[in-house]
Amino acid sequence: MNAFDESLSKCCTQAEDHHKVHESDAPRLEQNVPNPFGHSTYIKFYIPKASKSAKLMITDERGSVVMEFDQLEKGFGTVNIQSSSFASGTYYYSLVIDDRKVETKSMIFNY
């Protein structure tokens, strides 16, 4: 029985630690949905409360900025993208917080 109690204690402690990680105020950038996309897609993100500035940049394969969303608000957010200005291909989107690129993901436009 002591072994069971010890296992249960470790399990619950690990679960609490895992929960604390998710409650942290760290920036997050999710994969666009759907991917690949045809007419439109959306990207979810989280911007920490202590951030001074935040933007989402979309670049093509050469690194040229195709679209930029400036002055994103702190907390959870979503950007909706219409494909009217995209040619078929792979694009990259980056979350930039306080002039520092914190994460980049790729998306495919296939029309």
Side-chain angles (χ1 to χ4, degrees), residues 8-97:
L8 185 59
S9 175
K10 286 181 183 175
C11 168
C12 293
T13 301
Q14 290 172 350
E16 287 172 6
D17 290 344
H18 182 70
H19 186 65
K20 287 178 186 174
V21 168
H22 289 294
E23 288 181 351
S24 72
D25 200 33
R28 289 185 288 283
L29 181 63
E30 294 185 14
Q31 185 64 51
N32 67 300
V33 177
N35 189 34
F37 70 102
H39 297 288
S40 65
T41 188
Y42 65 90
I43 300 168
K44 291 185 176 186
F45 54 86
Y46 176 78
I47 299 169
K49 296 171 188 165
S51 303
K52 293 180 179 87
S53 66
K55 64 182 173 181
L56 186 73
M57 290 179 20
I58 301 174
T59 58
D60 61 18
E61 291 179 312
R62 295 180 311 232
S64 300
V65 176
V66 178
M67 193 176 284
E68 192 170 298
F69 298 89
D70 287 345
Q71 301 174 345
L72 298 175
E73 293 188 22
K74 297 172 188 174
F76 292 97
T78 303
V79 168
N80 295 303
I81 300 168
Q82 301 300 315
S83 62
S84 59
S85 60
F86 290 91
S88 290
T90 301
Y91 294 85
Y92 301 93
Y93 57 98
S94 302
L95 184 59
V96 179
I97 297 177

